[in-house]
Amino acid sequence: MKLWSQFFIPTLKESPADADITSHKLLVRAGLVRKLAGGLYTYLPLGLRVMRKITQICREEIERGGGIELEMPHLHPVENWQHGPRWPAAREIMFRADSAGDGKRPSREPEFVLGPTHEEVITPLVKAEITSYRDLPKNFYQIATKFRNEIRPRYGLMRAREFVMMDAYSFDVDDPHAIVSYQRMKAAYEAFFRRIGAHAIAVEADTGVMGGSFSHEFMVPAEVGDDDVIYCEASGYAANREKATSALVPKDLADAAPVGATELFPTPGIVTIAALEAAPYSVPADQQFKTLVFMGDGKPFVVILRGGDELEEAKLGSLGFTLFRPATPEEIEPVMGARPGSLGAVRGTIKNAGALAGVFADYAIRLIGNGVTGANQDGHHLRNVNVARDLAVTKFGDFRRVRPGEPCPLSGQPLQVRRGIEVGHIFKLGTKYSEKYGAAYTDDQKQSHPMVMGCYGIGIGRTMQAVIEQSHDADGIVWPWAIAPYQVLVCVLDPQLPEAMELATRLAAAAEAAGADVLVDDRAERPGVKFKDADLIGIPLRVTIGGKGLKEGIIELKARTSKDVRKVPLAEAETQLAAAVHSCRGVA
Ligand code: ATP
Ligand code: MG
């Protein structure tokens, strides 16, 4: 048992000025963390206890899922990253570190970087240590600090610059085995979130340039989340915004019958979908073709969508370009023959079609019959444009952002959208890293193959805060039993009475014997202050011992989740408290 007077729980009445969301306010007010600077936090003793409990449950479940724990350095030689596949992108978020005192000026590249994640360290390690199929599969994990120079650290521990992550890396002989490792980790994640009392759902996520459907994010539904989840209650379908699709376009859709030949018409000064929607043109947005030009690995390519649809840029990852970005008007004009606002992809109208790496059309444009598109002449559009007859499409694909209300791809019911906090991520990596670092094994025929990898992450601090976001009321945090910093709070209203403290010690021992961590509030504070603090820090069970109650021969028992206060005769206090602990723990 811990005595509050000899511990350190600096609760606050007021929320810090920089806290916008409830969980951030409560983290600080309940004395769990203190800010050093933007995105940098000290875990105070109470916060550290929660972090440790989450960490331990995480460790147990990841071990059950096949994980083997190790710990890698936080400081990485920059060469490890330069030799890897993502240095140009990753360097933007990495903190650099230079050794000092050798008299040399810092070079342009740092000597060391602080690890934002560890593929660049684990893959060379595995390459050096594992060479035979007999030693696979292996899944290594650690629970350690990560460093990322987030552009906008915010929301307390949700988006920090320094944070604790469970990161795991699996190595398998081939794809089917890698999928087994992936599924085991997915099950481990589900068990972990269930055990800590977090309601997290696995959501299909985008795999970017890697392709395939083997990525899931674990999302805690919350208004303050940074991510959109598209889901269907009826079928259980759930995907993040980048990945979500719908059954909007029927597979057997027949093309609309053209009403006549394409026809050029002047549209002086009209360069937006909205302007063409307005009078005198009055073309509904979804009867317009939206023509966008991108640069993919140095070559221009065209993307066509319905006018009312938004491009989901992440979906262009499936086209296979390593790097792509929107083209500038200066890059567009010589290829298309016009500037943005008058672009189109009607055969024969593109000035230098041969320069294009392709014309990629979203499936939904097939819903347009006799539509309108730019004529590739400034200030002109074409009407009566039909997809099959008129457009020079290289390939159809899913490039648009799904709109809520569209039919679910599984059930056909309307899709819904809600915000979520990404607390974990699992990813089938394939051989991207193993090929780059030469992490290969030999099979029983002495043939060499690259290992097939997976990578996995859970943000421990973000998870702690997401639980608070999900589990609180107007008075404070409501901790799930498994991760509560203490599970029983013995509130002694008259700590100056020796018999009160003596009873507190006995009850604490009984609760501990039943499997609870116990905090005794022995401060010389008014009852009102003690009860407010008790609610704020969110301990699941509260026992109150007061001088008055002692005279009456009773103590009080109260659960954080309920308003009911149960009076318990002194003679039954220990057994009833033990029974309450057992029932909270789910022990019969
Ligand atoms: P986000 O999209 O939120 O930036 P991410 O995709 O960069 O996250 P991953 O690289 O997949 O995150 O990291 C795995 C997990 O680490 C995330 O699911 C999240 O829980 C946690 N995490 C990532 N960035 C941060 C951060 N800046 N602060 C706290 N936790 C983080
Ligand atoms: Mg992620």
Side-chain angles (χ1 to χ4, degrees):
M1 96 182 186
K2 186 65 91 182
L3 292 177
W4 193 312
S5 66
Q6 282 158 47
F7 200 46
F8 185 65
I9 311 176
T11 58
L12 298 174
K13 279 205 191 63
E14 303 295 331
S15 300
D18 69 337
D20 303 321
I21 65 171
T22 307
S23 54
H24 183 191
K25 291 176 186 166
L26 288 174
L27 266 183
V28 178
R29 285 189 54 216
L32 298 166
V33 304
R34 282 296 180 268
K35 179 167 145 181
L36 170 66
L40 299 175
Y41 287 86
T42 297
Y43 305 107
L44 295 177
L46 211 56
L48 188 60
R49 286 185 67 88
V50 182
M51 290 290 282
R52 290 234 166 102
K53 287 190 174 185
I54 296 175
T55 300
Q56 183 52 26
I57 294 171
C58 186
R59 179 175 287 123
E60 288 168 18
E61 293 306 329
I62 298 299
E63 297 263 345
R64 228 191 292 279
I68 309 166
E69 190 169 11
L70 47 60
E71 190 163 328
M72 292 175 266
H74 301 318
L75 208 52
H76 303 171
V78 73
E79 292 80 28
N80 276 61
W81 283 82
Q82 287 167 331
H83 296 156
R86 58 170 168 177
W87 169 241
R91 61 189 299 173
E92 302 297 321
I93 57 141
M94 296 213 289
F95 286 107
R96 291 128 183 270
D98 280 296
S99 52
D102 62 359
K104 279 192 267 170
R105 269 182 35 192
S107 57
R108 247 161 46 79
E109 291 293 14
E111 226 174 317
F112 298 100
V113 289
L114 286 168
T117 167
H118 280 71
E119 284 84 352
E120 279 75 356
V121 175
I122 193 78
T123 317
L125 177 81
V126 167
K127 175 206 157 51
E129 301 297 329
I130 298 180
T131 51
S132 161
Y133 72 98
R134 278 186 232 98
D135 300 319
L136 295 173
K138 283 283 178 289
N139 183 351
F140 296 109
Y141 82 98
Q142 60 179 350
I143 303 180
T145 302
K146 299 280 177 276
F147 302 86
R148 292 188 187 178
N149 195 5
E150 298 279 358
I151 308 166
R152 218 151 65 94
R154 62 177 190 151
Y155 291 173
L157 301 179
M158 291 272 190
R159 191 167 295 287
R161 287 194 163 112
E162 181 181 319
F163 57 96
V164 178
M165 193 202 286
M166 184 298 296
D167 50 321
Y169 309 89
S170 62
F171 297 84
D172 278 282
V173 290
D174 58 19
D175 243 42
H177 287 85
I179 291 167
V180 172
S181 295
Y182 182 91
Q183 296 297 359
R184 286 188 76 188
M185 286 300 270
K186 185 160 178 275
Y189 273 44
E190 280 157 0
F192 163 70
F193 288 114
R194 193 168 50 243
R195 271 185 71 190
I196 65 165
H199 169 57
I201 48 174
V203 159
E204 285 180 31
D206 172 51
T207 47
V209 291
M210 249 81 78
S213 64
F214 283 97
S215 173
H216 284 86
E217 286 168 354
F218 281 74
M219 296 277 193
V220 166
E223 273 314 304
V224 302
D226 278 337
D227 298 280
D228 278 329
V229 180
I230 314 290
Y231 68 100
C232 168
E233 216 106 44
S235 69
Y237 176 81
N240 72 8
R241 169 81 77 205
E242 287 81 36
K243 171 86 181 171
T245 59
S246 77
L248 177 74
V249 189
K251 291 230 160 16
D252 51 359
L253 179 76
D255 285 327
V259 294
T262 58
E263 188 182 307
L264 189 71
F265 65 104
T267 48
I270 301 296
V271 292
T272 62
I273 302 284
L276 259 184
E277 250 189 312
Y281 307 101
S282 308
V283 185
D286 284 341
Q287 276 297 106
Q288 302 183 35
F289 296 91
K290 184 189 271 185
T291 308
L292 305 170
V293 185
F294 279 77
M295 299 298 289
D297 300 335
K299 275 191 105 176
F301 68 92
V302 168
V303 180
I304 318 173
L305 301 154
R306 284 193 305 171
D309 281 335
E310 291 298 322
L311 172 70
E312 185 55 66
E313 236 183 87
K315 290 184 177 176
L316 296 182
S318 66
L319 294 176
F321 298 105
T322 312
L323 280 175
F324 58 84
R325 58 163 174 84
T328 63
E330 292 68 35
E331 288 165 332
I332 292 172
E333 199 169 0
V335 183
M336 303 297 289
R339 299 177 68 81
S342 305
L343 304 179
V346 171
R347 272 192 210 94
T349 66
I350 300 174
K351 186 172 173 193
N352 186 5
L356 292 173
V359 174
F360 304 103
D362 183 76
Y363 291 120
I365 69 164
R366 297 181 51 224
L367 296 166
I368 306 178
N370 302 297
V372 170
T373 191
N376 293 322
Q377 298 175 33
D378 287 335
H380 288 82
H381 279 77
L382 290 164
R383 60 167 73 99
N384 297 340
V385 177
N386 285 279
V387 175
R389 186 190 67 181
D390 303 320
L391 296 184
V393 174
T394 314
K395 199 176 138 196
F396 284 90
D398 173 28
F399 305 119
R400 62 190 287 274
R401 180 174 279 193
V402 164
R403 302 182 208 167
E406 286 176 14
C408 165
L410 304 180
S411 71
Q413 297 295 306
L415 288 168
Q416 292 177 273
V417 62
R418 67 173 151 185
R419 305 290 285 172
I421 301 165
E422 180 199 319
V423 285
H425 195 177
I426 56 180
F427 204 105
K428 187 165 147 289
L429 266 177
T431 56
K432 181 177 171 180
Y433 287 85
S434 47
E435 285 186 32
K436 198 83 189 177
Y437 289 101
Y441 69 94
T442 46
D443 64 17
D444 56 357
Q445 308 294 314
K446 302 253 175 326
Q447 295 288 312
S448 177
H449 309 275
M451 297 178 200
V452 182
M453 291 175 62
C455 67
Y456 315 87
I458 294 176
I460 302 294
R462 189 184 283 184
T463 296
M464 166 163 85
Q465 196 176 330
V467 170
I468 299 176
E469 194 62 43
Q470 213 166 46
S471 186
H472 67 265
D473 62 17
D475 300 318
I477 302 170
V478 181
W479 284 117
W481 183 269
I483 62 167
Y486 290 94
Q487 288 131 340
V488 171
L489 176 68
V490 181
C491 218
V492 187
L493 301 184
D494 303 284
Q496 73 286 0
L497 298 177
E499 63 268 37
M501 283 309 291
E502 191 264 332
L503 177 60
T505 308
R506 268 199 292 128
L507 291 181
E512 277 173 353
D517 295 328
V518 183
L519 177 67
V520 176
D521 186 355
D522 61 335
R523 294 173 301 164
E525 289 283 359
R526 284 179 291 111
V529 172
K530 290 188 176 227
F531 292 151
K532 269 206 152 48
D533 275 350
D535 283 346
L536 179 60
I537 68 172
I539 309 300
L541 273 180
R542 190 182 85 195
V543 181
T544 307
I545 300 173
K548 200 165 134 252
L550 284 181
K551 279 201 193 100
E552 289 169 26
I554 55 121
I555 57 143
E556 290 176 353
L557 212 52
K558 181 185 173 298
R560 177 65 181 83
T561 48
S562 144
K563 291 266 172 264
D564 296 342
V565 178
R566 185 145 56 96
K567 289 192 193 321
V568 178
L570 285 181
E572 290 170 33
E574 277 156 279
T575 48
Q576 291 231 16
L577 176 57
V581 168
H582 282 147
S583 111
C584 289
R585 286 179 62 204
V587 179

